[in-house]
């Protein structure tokens, strides 16, 4: 998976290490898309957008000037000032600039927001953009599995309750087989996309191959860590697109096949998020919050990829 990491050179331009977006955030949940986009920036993408609901925009803008915040989505309360077709046009225009998109963090249950996001998923798929689907986007998949079925450039990141609901909607029994076999069944029923089930040991599968990430993590389970994981997966998927395009040369003897990029991106995201969680807990103990984990994500990257840092950093 180190092949996916772009080498940093003085000749690079803004955007060459990835332009990404986190679609999510409503009046109640403003931190989730912030964690997604900020984790991606801290790992090394160049530009990160947030596409959120109107009332969430000013709040997310106040967190940091590093994110480009587009309050395009509309809740039922705000739907009169922008139609679904107008929202679709604005999102599609932004998608044309991107290398990968994360959808779902902090969306909430508003039906008008979900209608907009459903259109965004369809538009991203039409453009062949890599997708990370988490949280409330998984409810959309459960209701409309055809929206993502067969799209192998997508990574779904359910926690155990979300996975259980996916199994129920796809008629996959969790009682009759081990968790990894159930995961393979769900991935196959969704046409071979990559499924990442979060837990003590993360299970990653595309229906045929299975990766297990048993990296040690911290003991706190504060909300927001899944969003950081989504941001990490988003980063490696964006880099994967550049890698597939031959944007940089890899010296590895065995290349990553294009269809395996989502699997490697998911594994890298699990490893980094768990290690960042461990570092944060070592420093903060019970006081660990997701902001603590976010502050460790770049250190986790350095620790895990120390051997290749000379290749991704310019010489002094």
């Amino acid at each position: 998976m180190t092949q996916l990491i772009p080498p940093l050179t003085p000749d690079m331009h803004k955007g060459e290490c990835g332009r990404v977006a986190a679609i999510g955030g409503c009046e109640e949940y403003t931190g989730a898309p912030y964690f997604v986009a900020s984790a991606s920036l801290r790992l090394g993408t160049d530009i990160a957008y947030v596409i959120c609901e109107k009332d969430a925009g000013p709040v997310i803008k106040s967190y940091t000037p590093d994110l480009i915040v587009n309050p395009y989505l509309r809740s039922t309360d705000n739907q009169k000032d922008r139609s679904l077709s107008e929202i679709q046009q604005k999102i599609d225009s932004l998608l044309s600039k991107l290398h990968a998109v994360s959808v779902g963090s902090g969306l909430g249950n508003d039906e008008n927001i979900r209608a907009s996001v459903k259109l965004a998923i369809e538009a991203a798929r039409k453009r062949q953009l890599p997708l990370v689907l988490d949280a409330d986007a998984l409810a959309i998949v459960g209701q409309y599995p055809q929206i993502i079925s067969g799209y192998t450039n997508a990574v779904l990141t359910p926690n155990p309750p979300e996975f259980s609901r996916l199994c129920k909607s796809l008629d996959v029994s969790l009682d009759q087989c081990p968790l990894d076999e159930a995961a393979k069944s769900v991935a196959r029923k969704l046409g071979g996309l990559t499924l990442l089930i979060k837990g003590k040991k993360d299970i990653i599968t595309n229906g045929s191959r299975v990766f297990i990430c048993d990296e040690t993590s911290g003991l706190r389970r504060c909300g927001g860590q899944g969003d950081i994981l989504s941001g990490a997966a988003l980063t490696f998927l964006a880099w994967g697109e550049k890698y597939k395009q031959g944007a940089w040369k890899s010296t590895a003897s065995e290349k990553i096949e294009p269809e395996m990029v989502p699997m490697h991106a998911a594994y890298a995201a699990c490893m980094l998020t768990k290690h960042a969680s461990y570092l944060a807990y070592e420093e903060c103990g019970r006081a660990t919050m997701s902001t603590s984990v976010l502050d460790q994500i770049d250190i986790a990257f350095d620790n895990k990829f120390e051997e290749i840092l000379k290749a991704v950093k310019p010489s002094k």
Side-chain angles (χ1 to χ4, degrees):
M1 65 192 157
T2 57
Q3 298 175 51
L4 303 180
I5 300 172
L8 301 179
T9 72
D11 298 322
M12 299 185 82
H13 302 289
K14 180 174 65 177
E16 291 186 350
C17 283
R19 297 181 297 272
V20 300
I23 302 179
C26 62
E27 183 180 19
E28 185 175 1
Y29 303 114
T30 57
Y34 162 79
F35 283 127
V36 176
S38 293
S40 186
L41 281 181
R42 292 193 186 207
L43 285 171
T45 56
D46 290 335
I47 301 172
Y49 298 86
V50 171
I51 301 173
C52 62
E53 206 278 330
K54 177 182 178 181
D55 291 335
V59 181
I60 299 171
K61 286 175 184 283
S62 74
Y63 293 154
T64 176
D66 293 309
L67 304 178
I68 302 172
V69 181
N70 298 283
Y72 294 159
L73 305 181
R74 290 294 181 269
S75 66
T76 303
D77 292 339
N78 294 323
Q79 63 180 311
K80 292 183 179 179
D81 66 313
R82 183 169 288 168
S83 68
L84 282 178
S85 61
E86 291 174 313
I87 294 170
Q88 184 179 15
Q89 289 174 6
K90 284 185 170 292
I91 292 177
D92 195 54
S93 177
L94 180 56
L95 292 178
S96 66
K97 305 175 183 178
L98 304 178
H99 298 111
V101 182
S102 171
V103 185
S105 297
L107 282 178
N109 297 319
D110 185 274
E111 288 302 320
N112 207 64
I113 294 177
R114 287 193 177 188
S116 303
V117 169
K118 185 172 178 286
L119 293 173
I121 294 172
E122 292 169 344
R125 179 174 181 172
K126 186 176 180 180
R127 290 185 176 275
Q128 295 293 299
L129 283 172
L131 281 166
V132 181
L133 300 185
D134 187 31
D136 300 305
L138 298 174
I140 298 175
V141 173
Q143 190 174 2
Y144 306 102
Q146 69 276 10
I147 198 172
I148 202 67
S149 182
Y151 189 55
T152 57
N153 212 9
V155 176
L156 276 59
T157 63
N159 59 29
E162 290 165 340
F163 180 64
S164 179
R165 289 192 289 271
L166 270 180
C167 286
K168 186 175 181 180
S169 67
L170 295 170
D171 197 26
V172 173
S173 174
L174 278 170
D175 301 325
Q176 304 299 322
C177 60
L179 185 58
D180 59 336
E181 289 299 322
K184 288 170 67 175
S185 294
V186 170
R188 285 194 293 265
K189 284 208 169 190
L190 290 173
L193 51 67
T194 295
L195 192 66
L196 188 173
I197 305 173
K198 296 174 282 194
K200 182 180 179 181
K201 293 183 179 181
D202 296 329
I203 298 173
I204 303 154
T205 181
N206 57 9
S208 56
R209 298 282 300 277
V210 176
F211 294 168
I212 303 292
C213 180
D214 58 358
E215 180 76 28
T216 301
S217 66
L219 298 180
R220 288 279 281 128
R221 296 296 179 263
C222 44
Q225 293 183 77
D227 303 310
I228 293 171
L229 184 146
S230 289
L234 178 67
T235 302
F236 276 83
L237 283 174
W239 289 345
E241 283 302 286
K242 302 289 288 183
Y243 171 81
K244 288 187 286 186
Q245 295 165 9
W248 56 84
K249 294 181 180 179
S250 172
T251 58
S253 57
E254 191 171 334
K255 306 297 183 184
I256 297 175
E257 295 298 323
E259 64 272 13
M260 287 299 293
V261 166
M263 289 281 288
H264 286 275
Y267 186 90
C270 292
M271 180 180 67
L272 289 174
T273 306
K274 282 180 176 290
H275 187 53
S277 167
Y278 171 81
L279 295 174
Y281 186 77
E282 286 291 292
E283 181 176 311
C284 303
R286 287 183 181 271
T288 301
M289 300 180 292
S290 287
T291 49
S292 315
V293 179
L294 182 64
D295 286 340
Q296 298 289 341
I297 196 71
D298 57 319
I299 300 171
F301 180 90
D302 287 356
N303 288 350
K304 292 301 177 182
F305 296 115
E306 185 176 4
E307 293 298 319
I308 65 162
L309 285 182
K310 290 181 181 179
V312 300
K313 290 183 177 179
S315 58
K316 295 182 179 179

